[in-house]
Amino acid sequence: GERTTRRTYAVGRVARPPRLAPTVTSMRCYYEVLGVDRSADDDEIKRSYRKLALKWHPDKNKENLEEATNVFKELQNAYAVLSDLHERAWYDDHREAILRGDGNLDLNADIAKPGEWIYAYFSASCFDGYDSRPRGFFRVYEEAFTKIEKAELNAMDDKERNAVRHAPRFGSESTEWEDVRYFYAHWEAFATKLSFSEADEYDTRHADGRRIRRLMEKENRRARAKVQREYSEIVRNLVQFVRKRDPRVAEAAERARKEREEEEKRLKIQQEGAFRSCL
């Protein structure tokens, strides 16, 4: 029976590597930052944010400008996440991993939590300013996406590597909008090529016959696919997180809004002229 079969090949289970101890970071829980419970509704979160933002606005704390600036930035980041339905849901589901996020963790350091190093980038505290300095928004995320792509390329053989189209660069504040749009279109469809063989449940070398080996391989494929889905989802959510904060995206949206307004004015003038000519 199935139960007997499982006991037969359970001896082939793969030993898990020891987990790395989580790195302690200075990042605080967003709910703690805003002084609300995790069950707080949108109105509570908004009221608390407005009250604290008024208290800590740098313009009102000239004598303590550095601390006020840091606290105000932390408040803005917390509110940006908790006021967005999708981002709040993602944060709630991955809160512990985000709080202990460490950008130096290896991709496969902990198979139970694939891509845990990426969680460190789900916070505005990982960058300082919207520029291309070493700690700036564009440098930080350029390095993050380059690291993700490098892992993908390293997992391919030479033939696959030569055939694949390399991912577009994140770029800088001066990157043309068409290139920025192409970057997001590419990464929003991300699906990892990493095998995550470390997620295997069974060592097929211990299989007692072909039938047992096939059962082991089937369960290993299922375990790998689960981790691949989780990792791909982490990366795609990072793309959405970054896009929402990318000033180039905001500028493009503002340009599009102005162009729509100009077009509406032009059509209105045209319609008024046509109406007068009919009188």
Side-chain angles (χ1 to χ4, degrees):
E2 180 67 18
R3 185 172 298 176
T4 304
T5 302
R6 283 183 179 275
R7 282 202 299 269
T8 302
Y9 65 86
V11 294
R13 284 193 177 275
V14 178
R16 287 281 184 263
R19 295 185 177 184
L20 297 182
T23 302
V24 177
T25 71
S26 59
M27 183 178 174
R28 289 198 295 157
C29 171
Y30 292 147
Y31 292 100
E32 178 186 341
V33 170
L34 295 180
V36 297
D37 293 332
R38 292 178 65 184
S39 59
D41 61 26
D42 293 344
D43 288 338
E44 289 178 86
I45 290 171
K46 185 183 293 185
R47 284 197 302 271
S48 184
Y49 168 70
R50 287 178 173 174
K51 179 181 177 181
L52 290 169
L54 190 64
K55 175 182 177 182
W56 287 100
H57 196 286
D59 289 347
K60 295 193 173 185
N61 291 272
K62 297 292 179 65
E63 74 289 347
N64 194 20
L65 188 59
E66 184 176 353
E67 181 186 7
T69 300
N70 290 334
V71 172
F72 190 69
K73 178 182 176 182
E74 188 179 34
L75 288 168
Q76 287 181 309
N77 184 42
Y79 183 68
V81 171
L82 298 186
S83 62
D84 183 285
L85 186 64
H86 173 78
E87 288 200 14
R88 183 179 181 181
W90 170 260
Y91 178 75
D92 288 344
D93 288 344
H94 302 84
R95 177 174 165 272
E96 296 300 325
I98 291 171
L99 290 178
R100 67 168 177 266
D102 176 10
N104 294 316
L105 283 178
D106 183 75
L107 277 172
N108 292 321
D110 187 346
I111 298 307
K113 298 180 178 64
E116 186 168 347
W117 68 272
I118 298 175
Y119 287 119
Y121 294 92
F122 281 90
S123 170
S125 62
C126 76
F127 64 89
D128 183 17
Y130 290 90
D131 51 44
S132 296
R133 292 177 299 168
R135 278 269 299 156
F137 176 84
F138 296 103
R139 178 74 68 83
V140 166
Y141 286 109
E142 168 75 17
E143 292 176 355
F145 286 107
T146 297
K147 184 175 180 180
I148 294 169
E149 188 198 16
K150 185 178 179 180
E152 296 293 315
L153 293 174
N154 288 343
M156 301 176 187
D157 58 32
D158 290 339
K159 185 178 180 181
E160 291 174 317
R161 200 175 296 118
N162 291 331
V164 73
R165 178 181 294 180
H166 285 210
R169 301 287 296 273
F170 184 63
S172 67
E173 55 268 60
S174 60
T175 300
E176 294 291 332
W177 170 240
E178 285 304 314
D179 293 329
V180 175
R181 186 163 61 178
Y182 177 51
F183 170 86
Y184 284 112
H186 173 91
W187 283 96
E188 283 168 354
F190 176 83
T192 187
K193 300 296 184 184
L194 297 176
S195 69
F196 287 107
S197 58
E198 295 86 351
D200 285 357
E201 292 289 334
Y202 300 98
D203 187 339
T204 56
R205 294 173 299 178
H206 297 165
D208 185 13
R210 279 186 292 180
R211 178 173 176 275
I212 301 302
R213 182 179 293 106
R214 283 197 298 270
L215 288 170
M216 285 180 169
E217 290 171 347
K218 181 179 179 181
E219 298 232 359
N220 285 347
R221 285 195 298 271
R222 184 180 301 161
R224 292 187 190 192
K226 179 177 182 292
V227 178
Q228 286 171 330
R229 287 194 301 272
E230 291 173 353
Y231 178 70
S232 296
E233 183 185 4
I234 292 170
V235 174
R236 290 194 297 269
N237 273 276
L238 177 65
V239 175
Q240 292 301 317
F241 180 91
V242 175
R243 182 183 182 119
K244 182 180 176 181
R245 290 155 181 80
D246 193 331
R248 301 169 302 183
V249 175
E251 289 166 7
E254 180 63 16
R255 285 196 302 271
R257 184 188 66 79
K258 289 181 178 178
E259 287 172 4
R260 285 195 304 271
E261 288 181 353
E262 289 298 320
E263 180 63 13
E264 288 170 2
K265 288 179 182 178
R266 188 186 67 79
L267 289 173
K268 185 177 180 181
I269 292 171
Q270 197 175 60
Q271 289 169 355
E272 289 174 349
F275 176 75
R276 282 194 297 269
S277 67
C278 293
L279 296 177

